[in-house]
Amino acid sequence: MPPYPGPGQPQAPAVPDAWFRDAQPQPQPQPQPVSPAQADAAAETAYLPPVRGAQLPADAAAETAYLPPVRGAQLPADAAAETAYLPPVRDPQPPADVAAAETAYLPPVPPVEDAAAQTAYLPPVREAEPETAAAGAEWSPPTLGGNTLRAVDPAQARAEGRSPIIDPGPQSAILTAALGLLLAGAAALGQYALLLPLIALQGLTAAGWFRLNGMWPARQGIALAFAGALVADGAVLAVDGTYGPGAIIGTLGVWVLLTLVLQLRSHADPDERMYGLMASVASAALAIACTGFLAAGWEAVSTGAAAVAVAVFARALPLPTAPSVGVSLAAAAGAGIAVGGLVGLGAGGALVGLVAGVCALVGLRVAAYDYPSKFVHMTAGVALPLAVAAPVVYLIGRVVG
């Protein structure tokens, strides 16, 4: 409402009460000049603070705005960035790879040539490593302290393109031939003379079998198997020759039961106990089976041991596999004929020699299985051909004798 006029000023005409009636429009009064006193009175009752100057300053609207005042006449370049919902984009046109990497859900993808190597199941095979391995030895170095990572050796051999089957080689063949000839000569002298090389064969068998199965050191298992072999030797010597096989089988049964009881008392994991049980029983069985040389007749022992020596030596010759096997069996049969003729077996010596040669090749194959070390070749590779042939020599010797 306009201010109330002071004393001495004309009053504005009153509005008729019947304003709702149709009346003639009244002329509007002319505005009267406002004195400074009246202006101050109106300013004090206004809703907005008084405007002191006759002209509003340039920033008057800014002071009553909802947003803080913008002091400059021109907004800065980053004014919109300060009120934006997303952080400012510094580069107006960022590179495609940078923008995609910042908004991607997954981490950046490495180069293509490295992606396959990082997701492969097996570690990368470096070209220098297979070349070095191929240029070096054919087997891992011997060890007496054991190898807890032996389970990866066959997989490593296959990854490098090599066979996990490695033949014992000429060194173990020479040792086997020497031990076989020693057994053949000692058998002609009697059982007690045969006992010394037989004990050496049984010790090599017990130790070699545990190492072949990757269970080294296993002193308790080796000692248990070797003790069973010694008990079998004593049992055969204590009874008559006719009861020799019964003494061997009885000792084997007792030792299997003893091994089972000892394994049940073990606090190892169930799988580990099962592996230990199988290895202990097999080692004891092979070591006790060597006692078959002691129970057999000396003629069959001399013929069979000589045939094994010749067969193993012939198998180590640098020949292809098939001709090498044929030459070995022919040499074993020939040695059986020669030695059998000397000891009185006649034509039966050929059969003893041929069967002993087959057993020798089987023992060599077992000793070559699963990427063995040189220590395995010098123990199981020497003993298994003779150990496998021992019970067969006894049986065939009884047939032809």
Side-chain angles (χ1 to χ4, degrees), residues 22-136:
D22 294 336
Q24 297 296 328
Q26 299 296 326
Q28 299 292 331
Q30 297 295 328
Q32 299 296 326
V34 180
S35 65
Q38 294 176 347
D40 294 339
E44 291 178 357
T45 61
Y47 287 102
L48 298 177
V51 181
R52 300 301 180 185
Q55 297 182 355
L56 295 176
D59 57 350
E63 293 181 356
T64 60
Y66 288 98
L67 297 177
V70 181
R71 300 301 179 185
Q74 294 182 355
L75 295 177
D78 57 350
E82 294 180 355
T83 59
Y85 288 99
L86 297 178
V89 180
R90 301 302 180 186
D91 194 351
Q93 293 183 354
D97 55 349
V98 175
E102 291 181 354
T103 60
Y105 288 99
L106 298 177
V109 180
V112 178
E113 57 271 10
D114 295 336
Q118 293 180 0
T119 59
Y121 287 100
L122 296 177
V125 180
R126 307 184 186 277
E127 297 181 357
E129 293 178 356
E131 295 177 358
T132 305

Side-chain angles (χ1 to χ4, degrees), residues 295-312:
W298 70 272
E299 299 89 354
V301 175
S302 298
T303 304
V308 170
V310 174
V312 172

Side-chain angles (χ1 to χ4, degrees), residues 54-313:
Q55 297 182 355
L56 295 176
D59 57 350
E63 293 181 356
T64 60
Y66 288 98
L67 297 177
V70 181
R71 300 301 179 185
Q74 294 182 355
L75 295 177
D78 57 350
E82 294 180 355
T83 59
Y85 288 99
L86 297 178
V89 180
R90 301 302 180 186
D91 194 351
Q93 293 183 354
D97 55 349
V98 175
E102 291 181 354
T103 60
Y105 288 99
L106 298 177
V109 180
V112 178
E113 57 271 10
D114 295 336
Q118 293 180 0
T119 59
Y121 287 100
L122 296 177
V125 180
R126 307 184 186 277
E127 297 181 357
E129 293 178 356
E131 295 177 358
T132 305
E138 296 181 356
W139 46 65
S140 58
T143 176
L144 296 177
N147 182 10
T148 58
L149 301 177
R150 185 183 177 276
V152 303
D153 291 344
Q156 180 181 358
R158 293 186 183 94
E160 294 175 356
R162 295 184 295 162
S163 174
I165 304 297
I166 300 176
D167 293 328
Q171 294 180 350
S172 61
I174 293 174
L175 293 178
T176 303
L179 184 57
L181 293 177
L182 186 59
L183 288 171
L189 300 177
Q191 287 184 327
Y192 291 98
L194 181 62
L195 195 59
L196 182 60
L198 181 61
I199 290 176
L201 173 62
Q202 290 168 337
L204 289 175
T205 303
W209 184 259
F210 273 95
R211 187 62 184 93
L212 180 62
N213 286 270
M215 302 179 67
W216 182 272
R219 298 179 181 89
Q220 295 180 355
I222 294 173
L224 181 64
F226 185 64
L230 295 180
V231 171
D233 295 341
V236 170
L237 292 175
V239 299
D240 187 73
T242 308
Y243 302 104
I248 296 174
I249 295 175
T251 305
L252 179 59
V254 172
W255 241 250
V256 169
L257 181 60
L258 179 60
T259 303
L260 180 61
V261 171
L262 292 177
Q263 289 298 328
L264 289 177
R265 293 173 57 87
S266 175
H267 298 285
D269 296 335
D271 292 341
E272 186 176 351
R273 281 187 291 177
M274 181 60 66
Y275 298 150
L277 175 62
M278 294 296 102
S280 300
V281 170
S283 179
L286 288 172
I288 293 173
C290 295
T291 313
F293 284 127
L294 198 61
W298 70 272
E299 299 89 354
V301 175
S302 298
T303 304
V308 170
V310 174
V312 172
F313 186 80

